[in-house]
Amino acid sequence: MLIKTIPVGQLETNCYVVTDEKTLDCAVIDPGDESNAILDYLEDNRLRCRAILLTHGHYDHVGAVASLQEETGAAVYLNALDDWKNNEGFSFPYALPENGSYYADGDAVEVGGLRFEVLGTPGHTRGSVTLRCENALFTGDTLFKGSCGRTDLAGGDMEQELSSLRRLCSLPGDYEVYPGHMDSSTLSRERQFNYYCRLAMNR
């Protein structure tokens, strides 16, 4: 598994291209902006984008979805709770394309030989998910290095956020953590040093 991080947009959202190196099939996680930069990387490395996986529906994570889907024909996945059509009043409204698909806790998306498991981790938004693939967690805006996502926007809930952090920190073993913004980390580091994780685990 090869993971490429492409920071995009004014908020420097981490867009991840996760590739099965045997097949060159890949998934793009949270293409928030700068579709040309993402498409250039795919073309330069002869990758086939099979799926666009969204951790949540905020504008800085979905801004390049339409362009990327048009160019690649990839399937788009989002939790239904973050689809504006189902969530009147949602901050930064985003509507899943008509040919998109919903996924939820317990679902999985296979791309080449890679399997992305969906973990429901609400709190930042109602429909926030974490995507687990091999030893990696793509946490969106649920878990950051040393911090967690804000919960003061419509659909946010600090109690849910702490429950989600507790769920992630309770996963057995260690994982690489790839958040929606800023640097990557490890789950063991966050269990030890992240105030919000420690708070969640001690509840």
Side-chain angles (χ1 to χ4, degrees):
M1 179 173 67
L2 176 66
I3 301 172
K4 171 67 173 179
T5 307
I6 306 175
V8 296
Q10 290 185 334
L11 299 182
E12 295 192 326
T13 301
N14 289 329
C15 170
Y16 297 104
V17 181
V18 187
T19 302
D20 177 353
E21 295 174 274
K22 293 181 180 178
T23 66
L24 297 185
D25 290 336
C26 71
V28 175
I29 300 174
D30 289 354
D33 202 351
E34 300 180 43
S35 59
N36 287 342
I38 302 168
L39 290 166
D40 286 348
Y41 175 78
L42 299 180
E43 182 178 354
D44 290 347
N45 292 278
R46 300 181 180 180
L47 305 181
R48 293 181 293 270
C49 178
R50 301 301 193 191
I52 299 169
L53 309 178
L54 304 176
T55 62
H56 63 291
H58 280 164
Y59 78 96
D60 56 316
H61 292 254
V62 303
V65 170
S67 298
L68 192 61
Q69 185 187 35
E70 181 178 355
E71 291 294 326
T72 66
V76 183
Y77 295 85
L78 174 73
N79 188 313
L81 294 175
D82 269 16
D83 189 336
W84 182 69
K85 297 190 295 289
N86 307 321
N87 200 349
E88 193 172 333
F90 181 65
S91 300
F92 315 118
Y94 174 71
L96 189 70
E98 291 300 324
N99 58 350
S101 298
Y102 293 137
Y103 56 15
D105 185 65
D107 290 338
V109 178
E110 295 188 1
V111 176
L114 302 176
R115 178 180 173 85
F116 295 85
E117 299 172 68
V118 180
L119 307 178
T121 51
H124 178 63
T125 67
R126 294 186 183 98
S128 287
V129 302
T130 290
L131 299 164
R132 175 168 62 181
C133 185
E134 296 183 4
N135 68 333
L137 294 174
F138 299 93
T139 58
D141 288 1
T142 297
L143 173 61
F144 298 133
K145 182 178 181 180
S147 188
C148 69
R150 60 188 296 183
T151 59
D152 59 332
L153 300 173
D157 186 298
M158 193 61 187
E159 288 299 315
Q160 286 188 330
E161 174 72 16
L162 290 172
S163 294
S164 293
L165 292 177
R166 184 169 64 241
R167 180 183 188 186
L168 293 178
C169 289
S170 297
L171 293 172
D174 197 12
Y175 289 88
E176 297 289 326
V177 173
Y178 294 93
H181 302 272
M182 301 180 290
D183 295 336
S184 60
S185 185
T186 65
L187 196 55
S188 61
R189 183 192 186 281
E190 298 312 304
R191 290 182 187 120
Q192 185 174 2
F193 296 112
N194 187 317
Y195 166 80
Y196 296 98
C197 289
R198 292 167 64 91
L199 178 63
M201 289 188 293
N202 290 326
R203 289 167 61 83

